[in-house]
Amino acid sequence: MTLLLSSLQRLARSLAVLMAACLVVVGAQAQPMAIPKYIAGEHYQVLPEPIKVAADDKIEVMEIFWYGCGHCKDFEPLIVAWQKSMPDDVAFARTPAVWRKQMRPHAALYYVAEALDLPHEVHIDLFNLLIKNRSLNDQKKFAAVFARYGVSSEDFDKLYKSFGTTSKVNKAEKRLRKNYLSQGTPEVVVNGKYRVSSGKGVSQAGMLEVVNFLIELERSAKPVAALSAGAAG
């Protein structure tokens, strides 16, 4: 009888523990799902097809800009400040906007400055020049800007008209039209998957908050992706 009573008591304790666990699970499932701070279609757009990024081990943040865009110049100090506190697992890049023929020379200026590794100030000078005249296509005036940074007109002309620069402009145009489906400037594409724009309740400073949110989203998805890849292997 004592043995039977002891067995029944153990069974009762086990059932109590099981019921408590079930109540915790049911209670957790009954809790309302947390609403995301930023919503796809409202604060950012999900691109139809993910685009391959330069480095698989980094979360890429790509700014789309145009030197003839006043809003891009306003965004410049914000994105520069953001870069200074950028996490180690994030890679920042830029691509000049090319929607129209008149924008191709301006995109070439960016790639010339990049090839020469010129200081950030050259970009501000180019903003100041082209915001005043968005259709400007004067190679001599462009060379004069670069001359302030010790670049001879011969070196500028060589790079500006080079095959390498033209190829980069062509690739930028293709990226915007076919991949990023960009609709304005400035915009930011996060890890080849999400496009962030200002407007519709999102300020320029707010754009970077959305970018940070999407970086965290991509970061949290990485272990799951790695686990899936390992299981597939």
Side-chain angles (χ1 to χ4, degrees):
M1 179 67 72
T2 303
L3 182 61
L4 177 60
L5 182 60
S6 177
S7 297
L8 287 172
Q9 287 174 339
R10 285 198 300 271
L11 179 61
R13 284 196 296 269
S14 298
L15 287 172
V17 171
L18 180 61
M19 288 180 66
C22 288
L23 287 172
V24 169
V25 171
V26 170
Q29 290 178 341
Q31 292 293 325
M33 291 182 65
I35 299 174
K37 187 175 182 181
Y38 300 108
I39 302 169
E42 183 176 345
H43 302 104
Y44 63 93
Q45 302 298 320
V46 179
L47 298 179
E49 293 291 335
I51 303 154
K52 183 172 176 57
V53 296
D56 292 335
D57 61 337
K58 298 280 188 178
I59 299 169
E60 184 182 85
V61 172
M62 176 73 77
E63 182 199 5
I64 302 168
F65 77 99
W66 174 36
Y67 286 129
C69 166
H71 295 301
C72 295
K73 185 185 175 186
D74 294 339
F75 189 55
E76 190 67 13
L78 297 177
I79 195 74
V80 168
W82 178 87
Q83 281 180 265
K84 291 177 181 177
S85 59
M86 190 173 67
D88 292 338
D89 63 343
V90 175
F92 178 75
R94 297 177 191 255
T95 187
V98 184
W99 298 303
R100 299 183 295 276
K101 185 178 179 180
Q102 73 184 59
M103 299 171 81
R104 290 181 62 85
H106 305 168
L109 294 174
Y110 170 74
Y111 289 117
V112 171
E114 182 184 59
L116 294 170
D117 195 24
L118 295 181
H120 179 258
E121 287 74 18
V122 70
H123 300 294
I124 303 303
D125 287 350
L126 290 169
F127 275 124
N128 290 335
L129 176 68
L130 292 168
I131 287 170
K132 295 175 184 176
N133 187 350
R134 296 182 177 188
S135 60
L136 182 65
N137 183 11
D138 187 324
Q139 195 166 329
K140 288 184 178 180
K141 288 185 178 180
F142 295 158
V145 173
F146 283 78
R148 298 172 199 162
Y149 300 90
V151 181
S152 69
S153 58
E154 292 80 9
D155 288 342
F156 172 80
D157 292 344
K158 184 178 178 180
L159 267 174
Y160 182 71
K161 291 293 186 181
S162 70
F163 174 79
T165 298
T166 301
S167 297
K168 289 177 179 179
V169 172
N170 290 339
K171 287 178 182 177
E173 184 171 13
K174 181 181 177 182
R175 270 197 301 269
L176 263 71
R177 292 181 182 275
K178 185 178 179 181
N179 301 130
Y180 294 154
L181 306 178
S182 182
Q183 299 176 347
T185 52
E187 289 187 327
V188 180
V189 175
V190 178
N191 221 28
K193 297 179 182 178
Y194 315 103
R195 192 182 71 244
V196 183
S197 311
S198 62
K200 296 183 180 178
V202 179
S203 65
Q204 288 195 342
M207 284 175 65
L208 295 174
E209 292 179 10
V210 179
V211 167
N212 289 334
F213 167 80
L214 294 170
I215 287 171
E216 202 57 51
L217 188 67
E218 283 297 285
R219 188 179 288 132
S220 63
K222 277 198 169 189
V224 175
L227 184 62
S228 301

